[in-house]
């Protein structure tokens, strides 16, 4: 019965997403094809095969973190802050997919790094989550002692912890992303949840716009936000699991 419910739920998601996203995909493909033929028609010196190779080269370079800016290229995804953020996304299993090692040595190191880093990350997240839970329980006990509340104290503290976590990890960060990335609030909220839940589609990633200048602390602060936000969201998901079970 649980398996049938699971498959049915995933099937429902697939049907809704197909209905919502398929028309936009068709329109985007038609628009791209129209631009392709217009470019070839307006610039007869271009050949289809050469243009295709150029486009593929640009796409591959972008995946490696290199973008064209006039007659120059922009670098910076593999500086220390960028590499630190990639390391966080690797051990937390977010795996945005917008950046990956391109050298054989880098890929081998990434495998070994993740092999030991993922368990270390899970242990740390568990410890952070337990500390958060102990803090909530301690506050509940203090309220019980001071006001002689019983069930009310536990419910009140859990509600406060949930609201505080929502503010710190889901509702306020989109304001920072709107300022630094130029995203809308909805896009920032979407990025926050997709990141903290470790889904990590990679359609929105911080610090990747070559037209913007980011402060040095930006990626490091976001890395800490990811770490503590994942621990908080894991507790919320655990409550959901207990409710479903």
């Amino acid at each position: 019965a649980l398996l049938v419910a699971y498959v049915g739920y995933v099937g429902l998601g697939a049907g809704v997403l197909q209905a919502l996203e398929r028309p936009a995909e068709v329109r985007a493909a038609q628009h791209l094809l129209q631009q392709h033929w217009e470019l070839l028609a307006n610039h007869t010196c271009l050949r289809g095969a050469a243009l295709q190779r150029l486009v593929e080269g640009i796409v591959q370079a972008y995946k490696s973190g290199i973008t064209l800016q006039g007659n120059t290229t922009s670098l910076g995804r593999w500086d220390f802050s960028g590499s630190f953020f990639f390391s966080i996304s690797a051990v937390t299993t977010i795996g945005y997919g917008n950046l990956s090692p391109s050298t054989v040595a880098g890929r081998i190191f990434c495998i070994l790094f993740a092999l030991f880093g993922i368990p270390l990350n899970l242990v740390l997240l568990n410890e952070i989550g337990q500390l958060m839970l102990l803090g909530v329980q301690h506050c509940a006990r203090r309220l019980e002692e001071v006001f002689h509340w019983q069930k009310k104290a536990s419910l009140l503290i859990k509600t406060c912890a949930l609201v505080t976590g929502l503010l710190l990890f889901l509702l306020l960060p989109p304001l920072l992303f709107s300022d630094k990335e130029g995203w809308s609030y909805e896009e920032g909220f979407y990025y926050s949840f997709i990141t903290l839940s470790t889904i990590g589609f990679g359609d929105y990633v911080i610090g990747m716009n070559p037209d913007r200048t980011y402060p040095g602390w930006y990626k490091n602060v976001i890395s800490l936000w990811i770490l503590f936000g994942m621990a908080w969201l894991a507790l919320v998901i655990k409550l959901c699991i207990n409710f479903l079970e």
Side-chain angles (χ1 to χ4, degrees):
L2 183 60
L3 179 61
V4 170
Y6 178 84
V7 173
Y9 186 77
V10 174
L12 174 65
V16 172
L17 287 171
Q18 182 183 16
L20 294 175
E21 298 295 331
R22 183 65 175 177
E25 180 187 35
V26 172
R27 289 194 300 269
Q30 292 173 344
H31 181 65
L32 178 61
L33 191 60
Q34 181 182 357
Q35 287 184 315
H36 174 77
W37 289 117
E38 286 178 356
L39 183 63
L40 290 177
N42 294 331
H43 300 82
T44 55
C45 59
L46 291 176
R47 296 181 179 273
L51 178 60
Q52 183 67 25
R53 287 195 298 270
L54 175 62
V55 171
E56 291 175 355
I58 292 174
V59 170
Q60 188 61 40
Y62 181 78
K63 289 181 179 179
S64 301
I66 303 170
T67 56
L68 286 173
Q69 291 181 320
N71 294 324
T72 61
T73 56
S74 67
L75 300 172
R77 291 193 182 184
W78 286 114
D79 57 11
F80 184 79
S81 62
S83 301
F84 184 83
F85 188 73
F86 172 80
S87 299
I88 288 287
S89 68
V91 298
T92 55
T93 70
I94 295 174
Y96 290 113
N98 68 308
L99 187 63
S100 58
S102 59
T103 63
V104 175
R107 290 168 181 166
I108 293 174
F109 174 77
C110 190
I111 292 172
L112 298 174
F113 180 74
L115 185 64
F116 294 97
I118 291 173
L120 177 62
N121 177 74
L122 291 174
V123 171
L124 178 61
L125 288 181
N126 182 61
E127 289 297 322
I128 293 175
Q130 291 299 322
L131 286 175
M132 290 180 175
L133 192 59
L134 286 174
V136 170
Q137 293 171 348
H138 176 72
C139 291
R141 285 195 298 269
R142 291 292 297 171
L143 279 180
E144 289 177 4
E145 294 172 358
V146 175
F147 297 101
H148 303 290
W149 292 344
Q150 294 180 354
K151 293 183 178 180
K152 288 183 179 180
S154 178
L155 179 61
L156 178 63
I157 291 299
K158 287 180 179 178
T159 302
C160 290
L162 179 62
V163 172
T164 302
L166 280 172
L167 287 172
L168 289 178
F169 301 119
L170 286 178
L171 297 180
L172 293 180
L175 299 177
L176 176 64
F177 300 141
S178 297
D179 178 58
K180 300 300 180 184
E181 305 289 343
W183 298 342
S184 66
Y185 184 86
E186 176 272 328
E187 290 172 324
F189 184 83
Y190 167 80
Y191 166 78
S192 298
F193 181 80
I194 293 299
T195 294
L196 297 185
S197 60
T198 72
I199 296 173
F201 289 126
D203 48 352
Y204 288 91
V205 184
I206 64 154
M208 296 300 169
N209 191 341
D211 298 324
R212 288 182 172 267
T213 301
Y214 300 99
W217 53 265
Y218 182 53
K219 286 186 177 180
N220 297 329
V221 169
I222 298 302
S223 298
L224 292 175
W225 165 76
I226 289 174
L227 192 62
F228 286 91
M230 283 179 60
W232 172 81
L233 191 60
L235 290 177
V236 175
I237 292 174
K238 186 178 181 180
L239 290 176
C240 295
I241 291 173
N242 292 337
F243 174 77
L244 288 173
E245 288 180 341

